[in-house]
Amino acid sequence: MHTTAKQAAKIAKLANAKALSMGHYSTRYGSLEPFKTEAETIFANVILADDGKTIEL
């Protein structure tokens, strides 16, 4: 099963993570911003992963 954006944010918060990178999205969604917005209600540093995107930590 998959987690929701909110569930992923809760896990990141509990783990004291510095950032949350979310990926593996269904193609049925036109925009990914709602995922980021949902997660940011719980965890501030949310990054939307995408093919070819480089993330420096």
Side-chain angles (χ1 to χ4, degrees), residues 14-33:
L14 287 171
N16 292 316
K18 293 181 182 178
L20 169 61
S21 176
M22 296 191 303
H24 189 67
Y25 316 104
S26 172
T27 56
R28 69 180 166 179
Y29 299 108
S31 172
L32 302 178
E33 282 303 313

Side-chain angles (χ1 to χ4, degrees), residues 23-57:
H24 189 67
Y25 316 104
S26 172
T27 56
R28 69 180 166 179
Y29 299 108
S31 172
L32 302 178
E33 282 303 313
F35 293 111
K36 187 172 194 255
T37 301
E38 180 181 316
E40 286 175 333
T41 64
I42 295 171
F43 190 82
N45 192 10
V46 178
I47 302 163
L48 294 176
D50 199 7
D51 290 344
K53 184 173 190 174
T54 301
I55 301 169
E56 293 192 32
L57 303 174

